[in-house]
């Protein structure tokens, strides 16, 4: 048996791959031409597979993608091939859940507003509540309803996509005392306390009842451009949209219109239709928007987790066991 790697893997990682794949022979290719030649009699492949490599392969049975997302990985020949494709999903769930709850807490407590005011040395409680107005006009009043500052407990969290990331977000929502609803293309068991999961045909219901809508879905033919004006019109005027899934799921022109018209209360985006987000884009001008540069999944733990998936699958492949993270190539996840 033979496993081909391309692009080239550095020496420390290579040694661990060779050990995990034994007795399968591992070939670490330094060029695409070498990979095309070596893949002819290979059984497995790790790295960026090209159409030229696949055309040269005579007995390829397993390909391990180095990425979790597959919209830039799968091509028609690969989708039609009988080989098993596995990906790197499951590496980022806790990091991204941290990021999502950081954003939600910012909106609940207006921290994103106060950070900007701090830069301007402004002491100005946010909102038009009785308590907020009292701070501006005299001594603090502790009675009255503060409509500008809320808690996560008791609010409704809607999670779109209940994979490893969406499930972790939903689980934490329950721990925060939130009412959590979820939809997924393949409804499956949900964390305890979550309503659903429902099928994606119930997305409109989720949008209408949620205070926070978190997109944790992958980029697939079905999700591309899913969030447009018609979806924003269904949301509460106070609701916050958070996208840590894929940028192409949300149409940014329509999102800007929804924010301008007050159809939704705010947004937090880590992914965008175009990256980097152009400096002239109107989203930068919205005070009720949090923008981060596609870093929600970043963590020192990810590199080791990434390698462990490959090592685990190499061992499983040699032993003839079920592979981890097998994907449906037709659906891209």
């Amino acid at each position: 048996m033979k496993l081909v790697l391309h692009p080239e893997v550095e020496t420390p990682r290579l040694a661990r791959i060779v050990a995990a794949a034994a007795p399968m022979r591992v070939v670490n290719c330094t060029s695409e031409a070498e990979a095309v030649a070596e893949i002819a009699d290979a059984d497995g492949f790790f790295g960026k597979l090209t159409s030229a490599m696949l055309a040269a392969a005579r007995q390829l049975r397993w390909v391990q993608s180095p990425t979790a997302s597959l919209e830039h990985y799968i091509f028609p020949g690969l989708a039609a091939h009988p080989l098993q494709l596995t990906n790197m999903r499951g590496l980022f769930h806790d990091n991204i859940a941290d990021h999502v709850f950081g954003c939600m807490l910012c909106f609940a407590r207006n921290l994103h507003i106060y950070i900007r005011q701090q830069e301007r040395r402004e002491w100005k409680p946010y909102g038009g509540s009785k308590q907020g107005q009292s701070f501006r006009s005299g001594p603090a009043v502790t009675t009255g309803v503060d409509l500008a500052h809320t808690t996560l407990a008791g609010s409704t969290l809607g999670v779109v996509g209940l994979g490893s990331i969406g499930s972790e977000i939903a689980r934490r929502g329950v721990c925060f005392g939130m009412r959590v609803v979820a939809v997924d293309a393949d409804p499956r068991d949900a964390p305890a306390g979550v309503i659903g999961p429902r099928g994606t045909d119930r997305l409109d219901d989720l949008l209408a009842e949620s205070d926070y809508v978190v997109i944790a879905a992958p980029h697939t033919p079905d999700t591309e451009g899913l969030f447009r004006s018609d979806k924003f019109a269904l949301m509460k005027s106070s609701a916050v949209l958070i996208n840590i899934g894929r940028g192409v799921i949300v149409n940014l022109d329509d999102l800007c219109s929804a924010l301008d018209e007050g159809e939704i209360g705010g947004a937090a985006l880590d992914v965008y239709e175009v990256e980097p987000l152009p400096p002239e884009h109107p989203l930068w001008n919205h005070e009720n928007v949090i923008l981060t540069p596609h870093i929600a999944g970043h963590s020192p733990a990810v590199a080791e987790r990434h390698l462990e998936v490959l090592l685990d699958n190499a061992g499983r492949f040699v032993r003839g066991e079920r592979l981890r993270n097998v994907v449906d190539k037709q659906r891209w996840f």
Side-chain angles (χ1 to χ4, degrees):
M1 296 175 69
K2 179 178 175 182
L3 173 65
V4 170
L5 314 177
H6 182 70
E8 184 180 10
V9 174
E10 64 274 19
T11 301
R13 290 167 64 88
L14 178 61
R16 295 179 63 182
I17 295 169
V18 169
M24 184 164 51
R25 185 163 69 95
V26 177
V27 180
N28 195 24
C29 298
T30 60
S31 68
E32 182 174 347
E34 183 185 4
V36 169
E38 291 289 350
I39 206 169
D41 60 345
D43 303 279
F45 176 83
F46 168 68
K48 177 57 178 174
L49 186 72
T50 66
S51 57
M53 292 178 199
L54 187 59
R58 297 194 299 266
Q59 59 189 48
L60 197 60
R61 295 182 287 126
W62 164 52
V63 169
Q64 174 69 58
S65 166
T67 62
S69 58
L70 296 170
E71 64 270 19
H72 301 302
Y73 194 92
I74 293 179
F75 51 90
L78 176 56
H81 199 284
L83 63 80
Q84 283 194 307
L85 176 65
T86 55
N87 71 349
M88 288 291 176
R89 67 179 179 266
L91 308 186
F92 311 100
H93 58 291
D94 47 357
N95 309 321
I96 294 180
D98 285 350
H99 188 92
V100 167
F101 275 85
C103 292
M104 287 199 292
L105 287 167
C106 277
F107 280 105
R109 306 307 304 166
N110 297 301
L111 302 182
H112 58 304
I113 302 297
Y114 294 128
I115 288 170
R116 290 165 179 150
Q117 290 181 180
Q118 179 180 337
E119 294 175 347
R120 300 189 297 265
R121 299 175 183 266
E122 290 181 2
W123 180 284
K124 185 172 67 174
Y126 180 73
S129 67
K130 293 178 182 178
Q131 186 173 347
Q133 289 175 351
S134 71
F135 273 103
R136 287 190 289 275
S137 59
V141 176
T142 57
T143 59
V145 179
D146 187 346
L147 300 178
H149 300 84
T150 63
T151 61
L152 297 185
S155 62
T156 296
L157 167 62
V159 181
V160 182
L162 209 60
S164 62
I165 295 169
S167 293
E168 180 64 14
I169 293 167
R171 185 189 69 79
R172 295 191 188 192
V174 173
C175 293
F176 268 84
M178 304 178 81
R179 176 178 177 269
V180 183
V181 296
V183 298
D184 193 90
D186 290 318
R188 66 197 81 181
D189 292 339
V194 175
I195 300 171
R198 306 159 173 170
T200 50
D201 59 323
R202 298 288 302 277
L203 174 60
D204 289 358
D205 296 333
L206 178 149
L207 297 178
E209 61 187 312
S210 298
D211 299 294
Y212 299 91
V213 175
V214 178
I215 301 173
H219 177 185
T220 72
D222 293 328
T223 63
E224 186 169 331
L226 179 61
F227 275 73
R228 301 204 60 144
S229 296
D230 60 327
K231 299 303 182 188
F232 300 131
L234 297 171
M235 294 173 62
K236 297 180 180 181
S237 61
S238 58
V240 173
L241 177 75
I242 302 174
N243 187 14
I244 46 77
R246 277 294 175 261
V248 297
I249 297 175
V250 177
N251 182 279
L252 293 186
D253 288 342
D254 288 0
L255 174 60
C256 286
S257 295
L259 291 164
D260 289 338
E261 298 299 323
E263 289 186 321
I264 65 174
L269 306 178
D270 188 57
V271 290
Y272 310 84
E273 286 180 297
V274 177
E275 297 184 4
L277 186 68
E280 68 276 9
H281 198 283
L283 271 176
W284 293 108
N285 301 323
H286 285 270
E287 191 175 53
N288 58 337
V289 170
I290 298 173
L291 304 175
T292 53
H294 206 147
I295 48 75
H298 287 198
S299 164
V302 170
E304 182 62 24
R305 293 176 183 177
H306 187 277
L307 180 58
E308 286 298 332
V309 171
L310 174 58
L311 301 181
D312 187 21
N313 267 344
R316 289 170 182 250
F317 184 69
V318 168
R319 296 187 298 269
E321 299 173 359
R322 178 177 175 81
L323 296 174
R324 177 177 167 185
N325 291 357
V326 176
V327 304
D328 182 338
K329 298 193 296 293
Q330 300 296 330
R331 303 176 71 187
W332 303 0
F333 69 91

